[in-house]
Amino acid sequence: MKRHRAVALYSGGLDSTLAILAVLRQGIEVKAVTFMNHFGCDVSDRSSCSKNPFAAAEKFGFEVKMSHLSWKFLDIVKSPKFGHGKNMNPCVDCRILMLREAKEFMEMSDAEFIVTGEVLGQRPMSQRRDSLNIIDRESGLRGSVLRPLSAKLLKPTVPEEQGIIDRELLYDFGGRSRKPQMALAEEFGLTEYPAPAGGCLLTEPNYAYRLRELLDHNPNPSYLDLQLLRIGRHFRISPGCKVIVGRDHSENDALLKLSDGKSPLMRVLGHGSPLTLLVGRTDEQAIRTAAALCARYSDARKLGDVDVRVISGVSEGLHICVIPAVDFNIEQFKIEKKVRDRSLQRT
């Protein structure tokens, strides 16, 4: 007899792992797919959609395919049909995109339905009952998306109606509590799983503000532009030029690694100093402004004149003597969302 097969959306987190185990228990073969994007959903990051997907797969015996959504995802970030959340997160459109991609994988894999770890009511934008209905409809998968953790709170899906899945072996989890999932993990012998995180970078106020500001000035940013949004203090000194100042040793290293070798990268000589990168169209005035900002955040900030050197890029070797930037310059140029809870930002 042919063994039934399903495709699962798999993040490596607790919910998606449990959903797969619930289906495996019923004798279904599962092929999992982990989608990545440029905004924190990557196995090298620590967001809730980017946990290492291989540990549980190896332990419980299911296959994982990695797939990058690339610029398809950026398109929905720019203009989501169903809107953004509180920041730049297009959660409903994100799920639709992933399910559309999974549908193609399902058809190529000769699978019959899709499995997700969504829990009704857990996330305010994409896991409401009405949102789940929209997601299934827009992805062209109405009736073919099984959500094992909340299945008993939802209408029966096609695989349940056809007897491929026993509905009685599914669950009725709802809301934000993780206690039911933790108890189920113990039952399945799933002993190692990540703690929940805040979500992708698009849900973070300051990152989202920087992204929106970038898109206002550059509707088609490069991969480097997006990576740099995570690092340092950002200053818009002209419509076509930004300055990024490292905040600590790790960010200096990151700027050094991400530098394209053409954009001016500078530091203060003879003192503890951040690395400072210019991105975009630069001229003499832009370089002097960047040097003043670099000096302001260095150990030489209280000196009258500071020697700043361009250590790589088109102006490599150039020395600039500047007065460190004052608070007015910082407030004038800094790209930062003003929020009441300062703990939401690194300053």
Side-chain angles (χ1 to χ4, degrees), residues 42 50 55-56 58 82 88 139 179 185 192 206 213 236 247 249 257 268 275 292 303-304 318 321 335-336 342-343:
D42 191 301
S50 60
E58 292 172 359
F82 296 97
M88 285 288 283
S139 63
K179 290 182 179 179
E192 296 183 8
N206 200 39
E213 193 274 347
R236 173 71 60 183
R247 289 176 287 198
H249 181 72
K257 290 175 183 176
V268 173
L275 288 185
L303 300 181
L318 178 66
C321 185
I335 302 168
E336 180 181 59
R342 303 298 293 184
S343 67

Side-chain angles (χ1 to χ4, degrees), residues 149-305:
L149 302 185
S150 290
K152 289 184 177 179
L153 301 177
L154 303 168
K155 292 181 179 179
T157 58
V158 171
E160 293 169 81
E161 293 174 338
Q162 292 180 346
I164 298 171
I165 289 290
D166 184 349
R167 186 175 174 86
E168 292 305 309
L169 296 178
L170 304 178
Y171 304 94
D172 59 357
F173 301 166
R176 300 179 68 85
S177 173
R178 283 169 60 90
K179 290 182 179 179
Q181 288 96 310
M182 293 169 70
L184 184 59
E186 185 175 357
E187 179 183 331
F188 278 130
L190 178 62
T191 56
E192 296 183 8
Y193 49 85
C200 73
L201 288 169
L202 297 171
T203 66
E204 297 182 5
N206 200 39
Y207 182 91
Y209 185 84
R210 289 180 178 185
L211 175 60
R212 188 176 287 110
E213 193 274 347
L214 173 64
L215 293 174
D216 286 343
H217 290 88
N218 180 8
N220 297 298
S222 67
Y223 175 71
L224 174 61
D225 292 326
L226 298 177
Q227 290 296 100
L228 287 171
L229 291 176
R230 308 177 182 207
I231 303 167
R233 302 174 178 90
H234 286 233
F235 301 87
R236 173 71 60 183
I237 61 174
S238 74
C241 183
K242 280 203 315 184
V243 176
I244 303 171
V245 181
R247 289 176 287 198
D248 54 36
H249 181 72
S250 65
E251 290 194 343
N252 282 351
D253 281 347
L255 284 174
L256 188 61
K257 290 175 183 176
L258 287 172
S259 175
D260 59 10
K262 299 178 182 178
S263 301
L265 183 69
M266 61 183 66
R267 60 162 295 138
V268 173
L269 294 178
H271 299 272
S273 170
L275 288 185
T276 299
L277 180 69
L278 276 82
V279 181
R281 298 190 299 272
T282 61
D283 54 24
E284 182 179 349
Q285 183 56 47
I287 291 174
R288 290 196 63 83
T289 301
L293 289 166
C294 181
R296 165 61 178 78
Y297 289 101
S298 75
D299 291 346
R301 67 177 66 89
K302 296 182 180 180
L303 300 181
D305 294 312

Side-chain angles (χ1 to χ4, degrees), residues 6 72 156 183 248 323:
K72 293 180 183 179
D248 54 36
I323 298 172

